Amino acid sequence: MTGRLLRAALLLAALPAAAGAVAVALKAGHRQLHVDRHRFDLAPQPRRSCLYCQGDGDWGVDGVNPEMEACGCWANRPTWRLRLLPVRAAWPDEPPF
């Protein structure tokens, strides 16, 4: 085997282990991964061990107008986004003629 084929074989063998490590890191960080052709999004998820919402992500608020209130275990955490393709301006600066 040449050096190039050996490197490619080693990279292909390491892919399942890397994918497993990423899945464990996302689960431990309580984040959900969303991927499309424009961006990667890592959005926060409710924690199952939260004492306030027990993993539901919200709880009911009693009173005259009962509502649902988002729990701070996920609502106060930011969504991380990485853009892949540049966004073009809707109207170019140059005239069309």
Side-chain angles (χ1 to χ4, degrees), residues 45-61:
Q45 296 296 306
R47 297 175 189 259
R48 287 183 286 169
S49 61
C50 180
L51 298 174
Y52 300 110
C53 68
Q54 286 82 30
D56 291 335
D58 55 10
W59 63 83
V61 177

Side-chain angles (χ1 to χ4, degrees), residues 4-46:
R4 186 178 263 171
L5 288 176
L6 182 61
R7 274 185 272 159
L10 288 174
L11 282 174
L12 285 175
L15 280 178
V22 168
V24 167
L26 286 174
K27 191 168 224 36
H30 301 285
R31 297 207 173 259
Q32 181 181 15
L33 176 67
H34 173 77
V35 179
D36 60 11
R37 66 181 276 219
H38 300 290
R39 66 185 170 270
F40 290 112
D41 284 338
L42 283 172
Q45 296 296 306

